[in-house]
Structures are given as C-alpha cells and as structure tokens.
Amino acid sequence: MKIKPNVIIDSYVQDQIPKLKTVNSRDLESMFESFTPEDLVTESGMTAEDLIDSFRLSLITESLTDQYSKTFQLGAQMYGAQWLQDYVLGFWEPDEYGHADPFKNILVDFGINETNLKLDIEEAKQGVEYQTKHTSGFHPIALTTYGMIQECITDYWYELQRGFFPANSNTSKVISKVKGREALHTVQFRNLTALQLEADPALLTEVINATTTFQMPSNHIPNVSDIEEKTQEWIPKMNGSVIELLARIVANLNLALDDNKKLGKLLIEYATAGEQKFIDQVPNTLVKKALNTFPGSHGIVGEAMLEQLGLTTHEQEVPMNLLEKIQFNLRKSLKRYVYEKLDVEGFLKKSESPLGPSGLS
C-alpha cells in the first residue's frame, strides 16, 4: 500500500536536510575532565553505580542507530513514502551517529574500561533486531509519532544527565549539544506527523495506536532492559519530574494534533489500552463509553489534561444567546468535574498486562 505523495511534506524534509550537524572531534576530546561518579551524585538521590548505569543505558541505546534507521526505512518502503526515506537517510541517521561517543567518553572518564564498553555495544547489536520488536506500527505517521515521543523522552533524559556536571564544564556543553539535536528531532517528527494528519485526518487512528503501544527501544535490548526498568523511579532522584516529562509529551502531541477533541480521544484510548487509571474511582471502559456518548466530551478531556499539566488551552469566547449560555454552562460543569477527577499520576503507572504499554519508560 502506498500513500499519496505530498509536496508540502517533501518540501519540509528538503528544508531540514541542510540543518545536519554532527558532534565534532574537538568536542569529544575536551570531555576528559576527571569527574568521579561519587562526587557527581552528592546532590541527588542516585548512587554512583546508578549514575554509571544511566550513562551506560544512553551509550548502548544510541549505539543501535542503524537498527532504528532500518525500521523507519522499512515503513517508508512499505508505504512508498520517499520523503520519510529522504529524511531518515539524509538527516536523522547521520545526525544520530555521533551521539553515542560523548556517553562513551563520560564512562571512560569514570574509569570504565573502553574495551568492555565496546563488547557491551557489540552484545547489544547481536542481541536484538529492533525492527522485529517495534510495536508502534510501520505506517509513516505511526513512525513519526513514535519518533516524536522517543526523541522527546531522550531530550529530557539528557537534560537530567547534563545536570550532574558543572554548567561551565566541557562535558556539560557537549551533552547540551546532543540534547539540542534530540530537541530538534522532536520538532521535526512532530511537524511531519502534523503535516500528514492535516493531509488525511483519518490517520488519527495510526497516531493513537503508535502512542498506546509505545515502548522505548531499550525495553528490547537484553543487556540494558534491566536498567530501562529503573528509569521512571530514577527521574525524581535525578532532580527531575515524571509529571514534567508527561507534560512535554502531551504538549508535543497537542501541537501535532492541533485539536483538543483528538487529544482527548488519544488520552482515553491510551489509558484504556494500558489499564492506566484515568478518572478517579471510575472504570476506564465506563468512562470511554460515557465520553463517546456525549458530543464534544473528548475536547473537554483534552482541555482538562492540558490545564492539569499547566499547558495553554484555547478557551471558547463567552456565549451571547440563551442557548449558547446553557451549552456553555453545561460544558463548564462537565469540564470542572473531569478536571477534579482526572488522575494525572495514573497515566504514569505501568500496566501489569504484558499486552499493555510500558508507561513512559
């Protein structure tokens, strides 16, 4: 099955390719500053061993760029999306190639044997073929949605890792450069998702499926999957906030969807698929059925979530006639109820079901 060529999407991709910028050797050589993990964790809840593992996770995950690239290329070929192939091969893949080296240098600076790190990387590459584990679908919009969420999470993770080092250190500056590229990738994938959805609104189902089945790649890499399982509990210890991460993901989804109703529907489907708590003390299936019954209720859920997370919402204008006032007040009452009952933290709890998503980790 092929998707129709889109001149706007192709033009966007061609505009991005000249922005390619890799980490240079001078940056990498400046990183050996004799930091010790024991000193770096003093103002956090992490142990020295935890910190080393966190950077090992970053190194190994970044080292499998080839496999992630093949996954995107497979989807591009299946659907005849030349623009996706061009973006991945012309920008994303070469941009990502230099991201592993900074984390390798940090670990070497910590005293970890470089030969052992190379063996770890080789073991990871031999231990998985990521394209066979990818669960978020191969449609181009599913892949760009997946890329948006994955890059958003990675961007925040590197922000937290950067925080362990003095702001004026070369190591902090290099991590900032890598983080900046992940932030750019987040925006690019988000824009590609938005452009596809604008061209074909029916693709919302693919966006929802990609979100509800999302898992970070490291869940499937045997020699770091045990570290991946700890990341959500580590975030507060790294002076971060899982709620802040959720807010960033939802903000990007909101910008890509550009519609509170679509966002609300996505959130409901995500909560139901993963058995995450949604409305306090009410079963998800009942909430979903009720919301599907009342027109406009999905938009209320989207607005309530955005407000709960401190994100901007577009409020309706004050109604003028009597009917508009009645509708406005009814909607306002329902929104207040949803806002008060919405369990934001319930979205962060991992599903115990093997078929459900893995939360944010």
Side-chain angles (χ1 to χ4, degrees):
M1 176 181 178
K2 292 186 177 182
I3 62 173
K4 295 179 180 179
N6 189 306
V7 176
I8 296 175
I9 297 176
D10 184 65
S11 177
Y12 177 80
V13 168
Q14 298 309 314
D15 286 344
Q16 300 309 302
I17 291 176
K19 298 178 182 179
L20 175 63
K21 186 178 181 181
T22 56
V23 178
N24 61 52
S25 58
R26 186 178 302 173
D27 286 333
L28 295 173
E29 291 166 1
S30 72
M31 294 182 67
F32 297 96
E33 300 173 286
S34 301
F35 290 115
T36 66
E38 289 77 12
D39 289 338
L40 295 174
V41 298
T42 54
E43 296 183 10
S44 75
M46 300 280 278
T47 66
E49 183 179 351
D50 290 341
L51 186 65
I52 291 170
D53 276 347
S54 80
F55 281 104
R56 184 167 169 263
L57 176 65
S58 298
L59 169 64
I60 299 299
T61 306
E62 289 287 0
S63 297
L64 270 65
T65 292
D66 281 345
Q67 294 197 23
Y68 314 141
S69 176
K70 288 178 182 177
T71 303
F72 280 91
Q73 291 179 60
L74 178 60
Q77 292 162 7
M78 287 171 62
Y79 290 89
Q82 185 61 44
W83 59 265
L84 181 57
Q85 183 101 342
D86 291 346
Y87 170 71
V88 170
L89 293 179
F91 184 92
W92 185 84
E93 182 182 303
D95 205 53
E96 284 281 346
Y97 269 140
H99 291 187
D101 289 332
F103 298 110
K104 182 192 72 177
N105 286 2
I106 288 169
L107 290 165
V108 170
D109 199 35
F110 285 169
I112 309 301
N113 184 280
E114 186 172 357
T115 300
N116 290 339
L117 292 176
K118 290 179 179 178
L119 291 173
D120 282 346
I121 293 170
E122 188 58 31
E123 180 183 346
K125 290 179 177 179
Q126 296 297 324
V128 65
E129 291 184 7
Y130 177 72
Q131 62 268 31
T132 67
K133 302 294 183 180
H134 180 75
T135 58
S136 289
F138 288 90
H139 190 285
I141 200 170
L143 290 165
T144 57
T145 300
Y146 176 88
M148 173 183 66
I149 298 172
Q150 188 268 330
E151 297 283 4
C152 178
I153 294 172
T154 306
D155 174 40
Y156 187 60
W157 181 253
Y158 295 163
E159 181 178 316
L160 298 181
Q161 289 189 312
R162 178 186 62 184
F164 285 98
F165 299 91
N168 62 349
S169 67
N170 291 326
T171 301
S172 175
K173 293 174 183 176
V174 174
I175 295 176
S176 292
K177 289 185 177 183
V178 176
K179 177 201 174 305
R181 304 310 290 178
E182 305 291 24
L184 175 60
H185 299 166
T186 302
V187 173
Q188 290 171 330
F189 278 126
R190 184 185 75 208
N191 290 343
L192 288 169
T193 298
L195 288 170
Q196 292 174 85
L197 193 58
E198 183 180 353
D200 185 358
L203 292 177
L204 177 63
T205 55
E206 292 284 354
V207 175
I208 292 174
N209 179 67
T211 305
T212 56
T213 58
F214 177 86
Q215 289 187 331
M216 286 294 282
S218 42
N219 282 288
H220 307 294
I221 305 174
N223 62 341
V224 292
S225 59
D226 60 326
I227 302 177
E228 173 64 39
E229 291 178 357
K230 303 174 185 177
T231 54
Q232 193 166 314
E233 67 182 61
W234 276 352
I235 287 175
K237 296 179 181 180
M238 298 168 75
N239 300 316
S241 164
V242 180
I243 295 292
E244 169 61 21
L245 175 55
L246 177 64
R248 295 188 186 194
I249 294 170
V250 171
N252 279 291
L253 285 167
N254 184 50
L255 287 169
L257 299 175
D258 194 30
D259 186 309
N260 289 340
K261 293 179 183 178
K262 292 176 182 176
L263 177 64
K265 186 174 183 180
L266 183 150
L267 293 170
I268 294 162
E269 294 292 343
Y270 175 83
T272 304
E275 299 181 359
Q276 274 89 349
K277 208 171 179 184
F278 182 51
I279 300 295
D280 190 32
Q281 298 181 349
V282 182
N284 284 344
T285 52
L286 183 59
V287 173
K288 181 179 176 180
K289 185 176 181 180
L291 291 173
N292 286 337
T293 302
F294 296 101
S297 56
H298 292 106
I300 292 172
V301 172
E303 289 178 20
M305 175 61 88
L306 292 173
E307 289 186 13
Q308 281 260 19
L309 295 173
L311 302 170
T312 303
T313 61
H314 301 287
E315 292 292 342
Q316 292 183 345
E317 294 182 2
V318 178
M320 299 302 294
N321 62 46
L322 179 60
L323 180 59
E324 287 178 344
K325 287 181 180 179
I326 293 173
Q327 292 174 336
F328 180 82
N329 288 328
L330 286 172
R331 190 174 187 280
K332 189 175 180 181
S333 296
L334 180 56
K335 181 179 175 181
R336 185 184 303 115
Y337 172 80
V338 173
Y339 181 89
E340 291 173 352
K341 295 293 185 179
L342 190 64
D343 185 5
V344 173
E345 292 191 2
F347 278 83
L348 309 175
K349 296 184 174 75
K350 292 183 180 181
S351 168
E352 296 300 320
S353 168
L355 299 178
S358 65
L360 297 178
S361 64

